[in-house]
Amino acid sequence: MTERIFTKARIEATCFNPGQLIPEDINIPEIAVAGRSNVGKSSLINALLGARLAKTGQTPGKTRSINFYRAESPSGSLRIVDLPGYGYAKRSKDERNEWQRLVSAYMRDRESLRLVCHLVDFRHGLLKNDKELQEWIRSEGKKIFVVFTKADKIAKGKWRSTREGYIRDGLYSYDVPVITSAEKKEGIDSLGEFLVKFVKV
Ligand SMILES: Nc1nc2c(ncn2[C@@H]2O[C@H](COP(=O)(O)OP(=O)(O)O)[C@@H](O)[C@H]2O)c(=O)[nH]1
Ligand SMILES: [Mg+2]
């Protein structure tokens, strides 16, 4: 077990509407975490920050807020930004519009937003909404880095070929996607190291 890369993590803000968003600070890089409801965003953030800050296992589609977490790293202060989940079938059109409105308001002209970690269930790969999300984030001029979740559900011997298959199917990622399991704490250190290195350059 290596030394934890993020220290002194705390929740900084919970925002349900654009008016509640906290202003960016150009000295504090932000890394957003996006993905379908239930993909494991909150669990991954907790594993990464080594703290139970994000609520996990909530009713799918319930987290409608953007949550800002502030953490210290060897590269200095940064923010991990938990975006509301999408793709929950039972959501109404109004709720989808609400999601779009809040997330757009956050991303628009957000220079401190350096990277969007797109969480994808390792068992499923990209589903329809995921492809739309990837296109939309790229059209906003933001970099996407894919993080596979729940890898403990797939035999380790199949990890490489599974990842290669998804890449061949047209998944977009700024760098080779990292394979993680929040439950088994696998790939979490590699992800942390990648992120800290990424915000430094
Ligand atoms: N097997 C397994 N289950 C996970 C993992 N990460 C999250 N889960 C489960 O997936 C469900 C949704 O997780 P959560 O973090 O709340 O997802 P979110 O909606 O994207 O924030 C919960 O029941 C978690 O326990 C993982 O690495 N492995
Ligand atoms: Mg969550």
Side-chain angles (χ1 to χ4, degrees), residues 12-192:
E12 207 175 358
T14 298
C15 315
F16 289 91
N17 58 59
Q20 295 174 325
L21 291 168
I22 55 175
E24 66 182 322
D25 177 335
I26 215 62
N27 298 312
I28 308 175
E30 295 181 349
I31 295 162
V33 176
R36 299 169 65 83
S37 298
N38 230 33
V39 73
K41 293 181 294 300
S42 300
S43 304
L44 186 86
I45 289 170
N46 286 340
L48 201 57
L49 300 183
R52 294 180 134 247
L53 295 173
K55 285 187 197 127
T56 60
Q58 291 185 310
T59 317
K62 226 185 155 194
T63 325
R64 295 197 197 108
S65 53
I66 294 184
N67 305 303
F68 291 81
Y69 300 96
R70 177 75 160 267
E72 307 305 319
S73 83
S75 305
S77 257
L78 55 80
R79 282 178 179 148
I80 304 287
V81 183
D82 189 9
L83 300 180
Y86 58 86
Y88 183 54
K90 287 217 176 98
R91 277 199 170 179
S92 67
K93 209 171 173 195
D94 278 355
E95 282 176 282
R96 282 201 296 273
N97 290 340
E98 200 58 29
W99 183 95
Q100 179 89 24
R101 206 169 76 90
L102 182 58
V103 178
S104 304
Y106 164 65
M107 283 203 191
R108 196 171 308 129
D109 304 325
R110 192 92 176 180
E111 275 179 51
S112 54
L113 174 57
R114 304 281 306 281
L115 186 70
V116 177
C117 286
H118 182 201
L119 272 52
V120 176
D121 191 315
F122 203 36
R123 294 168 296 180
H124 309 315
L126 290 197
L127 302 174
K128 186 171 174 281
N129 289 315
D130 292 314
K131 291 189 182 144
E132 286 166 12
L133 180 88
Q134 289 213 327
E135 278 159 27
W136 180 59
I137 292 175
R138 292 180 76 184
S139 74
E140 295 279 314
K142 300 299 179 193
K143 283 199 175 99
I144 301 175
F145 178 59
V146 169
V147 175
F148 289 116
T149 62
K150 309 193 187 185
D152 53 282
K153 300 274 194 186
I154 296 215
K156 245 188 184 163
K158 292 190 176 155
W159 280 16
R160 275 175 169 270
S161 59
T162 303
R163 176 169 62 189
E164 279 159 21
Y166 292 143
I167 292 170
R168 237 180 289 122
D169 289 346
L171 165 152
Y172 172 80
S173 181
Y174 166 77
D175 205 326
V176 183
V178 64
I179 301 169
T180 70
S181 163
E183 199 160 289
K184 299 276 191 283
K185 304 280 181 286
E186 293 210 61
I188 305 295
D189 290 347
S190 324
L191 174 61

